[in-house]
Amino acid sequence: MTEPERVDCTDCFALPGPDNTRVAYVKTGGGISETWHTPDCPALAITQINMEEGSERVREQDAWAWGAFPAAHERLRKAAAAMPTGTAAQAFHDEHGHLDVPIDHIDTVGFELGRFITTMRDARTAELDALGMIWDKHDAAWRARLTAAADYHHAHGHLAHRPPPPPGRSSPNSARSPPMTASTRPVLPT
């Protein structure tokens, strides 16, 4: 196992220690990044708030999914409970906490778990699409924000952060002054 990459907190610059808190992240390309914080570090407080909000959102989404798709939710719960211990998928899940297996992942006995999971996903795509599966969370969030921006633009005629100035008045930044040159620069008294 590789050593985690240590990233210093820009607020408290804490070092590993018994009184400090370690926050670790699994990086997208693999590996672990860790940051240590003192108990009174503002960055730690923000991280904890974000984690609590994220957990609350997951609980809300799970409750919504249970209400919207009870049969699918029950099938997934039964499938997870029925996953035999000792399988490649169970071992991967135990180690990583999820089954977002890279396609090229091969387990210790040579089983191509990544290819198997990808094939299973592809086989269930139509069924999951019918249930409203979101395949790319980032794309879905981007499209939701784009829709909100388009709705705002349609309602207000602009995407300006501030409302436009009243008719007949210009904003202070609308007419740019020409750049100063030696001939236009004011002469200061000496």
Side-chain angles (χ1 to χ4, degrees):
M1 183 168 178
T2 62
E3 286 293 314
E5 173 190 352
R6 199 168 120 232
V7 178
D8 291 332
C9 173
T10 57
D11 287 322
C12 67
F13 301 101
L15 297 173
D19 295 332
N20 294 336
T21 302
R22 175 182 179 241
V23 177
Y25 298 97
V26 176
K27 297 190 290 187
T28 304
I32 297 173
S33 171
E34 71 176 7
T35 305
W36 288 85
H37 300 279
T38 59
D40 59 344
C41 177
L44 175 62
I46 291 169
T47 300
Q48 289 171 330
I49 290 168
N50 288 339
M51 292 173 114
E52 289 168 7
E53 287 176 355
S55 295
E56 180 60 29
R57 275 194 304 271
V58 167
R59 283 191 293 277
E60 288 170 2
Q61 290 169 353
D62 192 44
W64 174 83
W66 176 255
F69 310 111
H73 189 47
E74 186 62 21
R75 279 198 312 269
L76 289 172
R77 189 191 62 73
K78 285 180 180 178
M83 192 182 326
T85 57
T87 63
Q90 181 66 52
F92 187 92
H93 186 274
D94 291 347
E95 183 177 343
H96 300 283
H98 60 80
L99 283 177
D100 188 10
V101 184
I103 193 166
D104 59 351
H105 179 80
I106 299 173
D107 74 357
T108 56
V109 296
F111 180 68
E112 295 180 353
L113 179 62
R115 189 175 311 278
F116 174 78
I117 293 288
T118 301
T119 303
M120 295 303 292
R121 275 192 200 118
D122 293 346
R124 303 300 292 240
T125 299
E127 185 177 348
L128 292 172
D129 279 340
L131 295 175
M133 177 69 169
I134 295 174
W135 297 102
D136 184 342
K137 295 181 285 188
H138 302 291
D139 183 60
W142 186 87
R143 289 181 187 280
R145 289 184 183 103
L146 178 64
T147 301
D151 291 346
Y152 184 89
H153 185 269
H154 180 71
H156 301 283
H158 62 84
L159 289 176
H161 179 65
R162 292 178 279 197
R169 296 183 84 191
S170 62
S171 69
N173 297 329
S174 64
R176 245 184 114 131
S177 301
M180 276 197 209
T181 62
S183 63
T184 61
R185 186 173 294 125
V187 178
L188 300 175
T190 54

